[in-house]
């Protein structure tokens, strides 16, 4: 069953965040994930708008998403993201087709 990693990112250091993006992208791909949304236009239907960018990643399973997040290659990128932005990140399990 697919799983989605949803991230709200408020970039505080755009130059440093540019270093994060290719590292994160390579690690997502290496772990079988793909980007479904990456900083596109957001239209709020209810509640408060996100503070910054919204990113949605798709992985083949909940375990694959967890393995990606805990991987050494993503941990290297994560250190940069933590220095360049504040974020909320969570995984949600998809539904069967």
């Amino acid at each position: 069953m697919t799983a989605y990693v949803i991230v709200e990112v408020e970039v505080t250091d755009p130059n440093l965040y540019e270093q994060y993006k290719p590292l994160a992208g390579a690690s997502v791909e290496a772990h079988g994930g793909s980007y479904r949304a990456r900083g596109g236009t957001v239209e709020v239907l209810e509640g408060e708008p996100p503070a910054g960018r919204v990113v949605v990643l798709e992985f083949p399973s909940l375990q694959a998403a967890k393995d990606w997040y805990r991987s050494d290659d993503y941990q290297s990128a994560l250190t940069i993201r933590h220095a360049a932005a504040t974020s909320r990140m969570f995984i949600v399990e998809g539904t069967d087709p």
Side-chain angles (χ1 to χ4, degrees):
M1 187 176 313
T2 58
Y4 299 91
V5 174
I6 301 168
V7 192
E8 294 179 9
V9 182
E10 185 173 3
V11 177
T12 55
D13 184 336
N15 291 328
L16 186 57
Y17 193 77
E18 287 302 314
Q19 295 176 31
Y20 163 78
K21 291 182 347 185
L23 296 174
S27 72
V28 167
E29 185 177 322
H31 291 273
S34 59
Y35 286 90
R36 293 296 176 225
R38 195 174 191 180
T41 301
V42 173
E43 182 176 334
V44 176
L45 300 176
E46 294 185 22
E48 296 297 317
R53 299 166 51 88
V54 175
V55 178
V56 178
L57 306 170
E58 181 179 329
F59 286 90
S61 68
L62 189 62
Q63 189 60 53
K66 290 177 184 179
D67 290 346
W68 160 75
Y69 182 79
R70 297 175 181 144
S71 69
D72 289 340
D73 54 336
Y74 186 66
Q75 291 304 300
S76 296
L78 182 59
T79 300
I80 296 170
R81 181 169 58 81
H82 283 167
T86 57
S87 308
R88 284 180 8 131
M89 178 184 284
F90 49 93
I91 302 170
V92 62
E93 198 167 40
T95 61
D96 287 327

